[in-house]
Amino acid sequence: YDSDRALNPGTITQPIHRVKLDQDSVGVYGEQVFTTSNKVSYTVGARVQRVTTRSTDQFDASAPGASGFDAQAAPGKNRDTEHGLKAGMRYPLDKQRSLYVSANRAFRIGSVDETFATFPGRFTFLEPQTSDNFEAGYRFDNQDTELQAGVYYMNLTNEIQFDPVTFSNINLDPTRRYGAEISARYRIYNTLRLNLNLALTTAKFRKGPNAGNEVPLVPEQSATLSALYQFSQATRVTGTINYVGKRRFDNDQSNTFAKIPDYTTVDLKLGHETGPWKLSAQVNNLFDEQYFEYGVRSTFTPGLYNAYPLPERNFLISISRQF
């Protein structure tokens, strides 16, 4: 990974930092799926992975935009070894209905891009993010209807998140996430189909000074409802309603600030196929909703925050050809 960090594209020939990282990853894994005579299926799996990262930095204090607070990052080397486990079962009630349950241990090792931080320049080798997960649910599937409803529970340790105050990635105190998810598809007629996705999420710190508080940037609810109407074999129109609930601002681990407001948007898309050509026209955010998904609470000024608005009503026309 080579990254020249300059003030702007015009000064890229004299970068402030020349960051170089090498990362080697070696892993071994296996998975087995087997089915008993009564059609109950089981899955077991395991994985071990070792990641070695080496890093160097060249700092030019005379480069345009270089700050007196900046400095050259010391070279570093880090090695992490993590393991994952998986076990699951699917129990058929009949040809259309089934129950499922699974448990697993997952991990994520920080990427090279998450290792370097500026002001001052330094390499921060994060602890691997791990999570112990449990999921159970119900599935129904026939010619016209698909339905899956499930609940999940996750205990996370060393969750990796960007810190907007220090401009670096950090490991959070232990967190917990749990909730429910529902996805459904229903064909009313041969020409009309409905799709629904719904998620309810609770994300909280389970240890540390913010134990019991909500984790920033995790919406409480989200839902998508879409309807697809097939005018003909070649032409279809899709309308989608998107809803995202309230969430905490970034940098509000104390939960003492207002929440990012919820919002609802509506999208429309018309698609047509003719031979190898595909044409589409769509309007996003049809009713011109003013909203944002990401905002940062000020550390120094009470009541102040930065928000990053998303596009209001916008249009897209596309033409593609398959060869």
Side-chain angles (χ1 to χ4, degrees):
Y1 172 88
D2 297 324
S3 177
D4 291 347
R5 309 290 179 95
L7 176 64
N8 54 53
T11 62
I12 193 63
T13 57
Q14 192 178 4
I16 302 170
H17 288 275
R18 289 185 181 272
V19 181
K20 296 181 181 295
L21 294 103
D22 294 310
Q23 189 175 83
D24 300 317
S25 178
V26 179
V28 58
Y29 64 92
E31 183 176 274
Q32 176 67 40
V33 180
F34 55 94
T35 305
T36 62
S37 58
N38 58 354
K39 305 301 182 181
V40 178
S41 62
Y42 298 88
T43 302
V44 293
R47 181 185 187 96
V48 177
Q49 187 165 338
R50 185 180 70 183
V51 177
T52 303
T53 306
R54 304 170 185 86
S55 60
T56 61
D57 174 41
Q58 294 180 4
F59 173 66
D60 185 355
S62 64
S67 167
F69 299 100
D70 208 346
Q72 181 168 300
K77 180 180 178 180
N78 184 71
R79 176 174 290 172
D80 291 305
T81 301
E82 277 296 340
H83 71 279
L85 300 170
K86 176 182 180 181
M89 180 186 71
R90 179 181 177 273
Y91 183 83
L93 301 174
D94 52 36
K95 291 184 178 181
Q96 298 177 338
R97 301 176 300 151
S98 62
L99 301 175
Y100 64 89
V101 61
S102 66
N104 69 81
R105 182 187 191 272
F107 63 88
R108 184 172 88 82
I109 295 174
S111 67
V112 291
D113 197 38
E114 294 171 322
T115 301
F116 182 72
T118 55
F119 306 117
R122 65 188 185 279
F123 294 105
T124 303
F125 295 106
L126 301 168
E127 293 294 326
Q129 173 182 310
T130 62
S131 62
D132 297 315
N133 314 311
F134 173 82
E135 183 179 7
Y138 167 84
R139 180 172 177 82
F140 175 83
D141 188 358
N142 68 11
Q143 185 175 356
D144 296 322
T145 305
E146 291 181 12
L147 171 66
Q148 181 167 314
V151 294
Y152 66 90
Y153 185 91
M154 305 169 61
N155 272 346
L156 293 96
T157 303
N158 293 318
E159 183 176 349
I160 298 173
Q161 188 179 85
F162 179 74
D163 186 347
V165 178
T166 62
F167 299 99
S168 63
N169 292 281
I170 61 172
N171 290 117
L172 295 180
D173 290 324
T175 57
R176 174 180 294 117
R177 301 184 186 218
Y178 57 90
E181 296 180 341
I182 297 174
S183 62
R185 178 190 63 83
Y186 181 57
R187 185 171 66 179
I188 301 176
Y189 305 105
N190 290 334
T191 56
L192 180 61
R193 188 178 68 199
L194 298 178
N195 294 278
L196 170 68
N197 291 281
L198 173 65
L200 305 174
T201 304
T202 298
K204 294 186 177 183
F205 292 96
R206 54 189 174 91
K207 291 184 180 179
N210 298 305
N213 290 353
E214 298 175 3
V215 177
L217 300 178
V218 180
E220 301 167 344
Q221 310 94 16
S222 62
T224 301
L225 175 64
S226 64
L228 184 150
Y229 184 77
Q230 194 87 29
F231 285 101
S232 65
Q233 189 68 25
T235 305
R236 68 184 65 88
V237 62
T238 305
T240 304
I241 302 174
N242 309 287
Y243 172 78
V244 177
K246 298 179 181 180
R247 69 190 82 181
R248 293 287 178 182
F249 277 84
D250 205 355
N251 196 35
D252 184 28
Q253 288 86 348
S254 63
N255 290 182
T256 55
F257 199 64
K259 292 185 177 183
I260 296 175
D262 58 348
Y263 65 86
T264 302
T265 60
V266 177
D267 305 327
L268 287 177
K269 180 177 181 180
L270 176 66
H272 179 76
E273 297 181 14
T274 174
W277 293 93
K278 293 183 179 181
L279 302 90
S280 69
Q282 64 188 77
V283 52
N284 300 313
N285 195 0
L286 177 64
F287 297 109
D288 214 23
E289 178 82 0
Q290 296 182 348
Y291 69 104
F292 61 96
E293 290 184 334
Y294 182 79
V296 184
R297 175 190 180 183
S298 172
T299 301
F300 308 105
T301 307
L304 189 67
Y305 65 89
N306 288 337
Y308 298 83
L310 290 172
E312 298 173 16
R313 185 185 299 114
N314 59 95
F315 306 87
L316 176 66
I317 296 175
S318 66
I319 302 174
S320 63
R321 188 184 191 281
Q322 184 173 351
F323 295 92

